[in-house]
Amino acid sequence: PPPPPPPPLFFSPHPPPPAIPLRLVGSEMCIRDREWYDQQFQGISEIKRIPNAQGCESSSHLYQILLDDRDDIMMALADVGVHPGVHYRSNIEYSMFQQASGSDACPKAMQASKTTVSLPMHLGISHADVDFVSCSLKSILEYRVSRRMRSCA
């Protein structure tokens, strides 16, 4: 007998590969994880969320934030077992573009390149994992703020 017709989402006479449904489930899980992070970081001025452009739908596979002193904060997170990533690097940081653009070109892109952090997001992450990551980050930021306040006193 012929194979069953494909679901309307796919435009192929062949059944979808197994990875496609996994991607769809994964996307829903990433949206859920992003909402968990959003709840944890609500009202914290030191954590700037990168918003989606109006009218755009994100795959939500990354949870990116902007942090001043990104590298120091990433090292502090690594010390407690949280390993964020850097998934954005300005093109002018690559040698092939440096001659054409110069170091003062694209200041907003360079600022984003220095402050963007991708927090852990994957299919195996749990609510408890997101709580651990977000609580660790908030604790590090609180410690840094209290240390600055003590140095000003």
Side-chain angles (χ1 to χ4, degrees):
L9 180 63
F10 303 101
F11 302 102
S12 167
H14 307 289
I20 298 295
L22 182 60
R23 280 189 218 128
L24 294 174
V25 168
S27 180
E28 289 299 315
M29 292 174 82
C30 288
I31 290 168
R32 176 206 63 196
D33 298 344
R34 185 176 67 190
E35 290 170 354
W36 287 346
Y37 276 123
D38 284 344
Q39 291 168 4
Q40 289 288 333
F41 298 142
Q42 201 167 23
I44 300 174
S45 61
E46 294 89 359
I47 300 173
K48 295 160 205 76
R49 170 100 162 71
I50 299 175
N52 290 334
Q54 189 172 358
C56 291
E57 186 175 330
S58 172
S59 67
S60 302
H61 71 289
L62 297 175
Y63 189 88
Q64 293 183 308
I65 57 175
L66 302 174
L67 294 171
D68 296 330
D69 301 321
R70 175 197 66 196
D71 295 339
D72 291 340
I73 293 170
M74 286 180 67
M75 287 175 32
L77 284 168
D79 287 345
V80 297
V82 175
H83 301 282
V86 175
H87 289 92
Y88 176 75
R89 186 172 172 201
S90 173
N91 282 343
I92 64 173
E93 292 184 62
Y94 295 99
S95 59
M96 66 187 115
F97 294 111
Q98 285 178 341
Q99 289 179 332
S101 60
S103 62
D104 59 345
C106 307
K108 289 182 181 181
M110 283 303 296
Q111 181 63 22
S113 186
K114 293 176 184 174
T115 59
T116 302
V117 177
S118 297
L119 295 180
M121 286 226 348
H122 51 79
L123 290 177
I125 200 164
S126 68
H127 200 190
D129 295 329
V130 171
D131 283 345
F132 179 76
V133 170
S134 55
C135 288
S136 298
L137 178 56
K138 290 188 287 189
S139 294
I140 290 165
L141 292 172
E142 287 170 9
Y143 173 76
R144 293 169 65 84
V145 167
S146 68
R147 199 174 71 199
R148 271 196 304 257
M149 291 176 75
R150 278 183 285 183
S151 69
C152 293

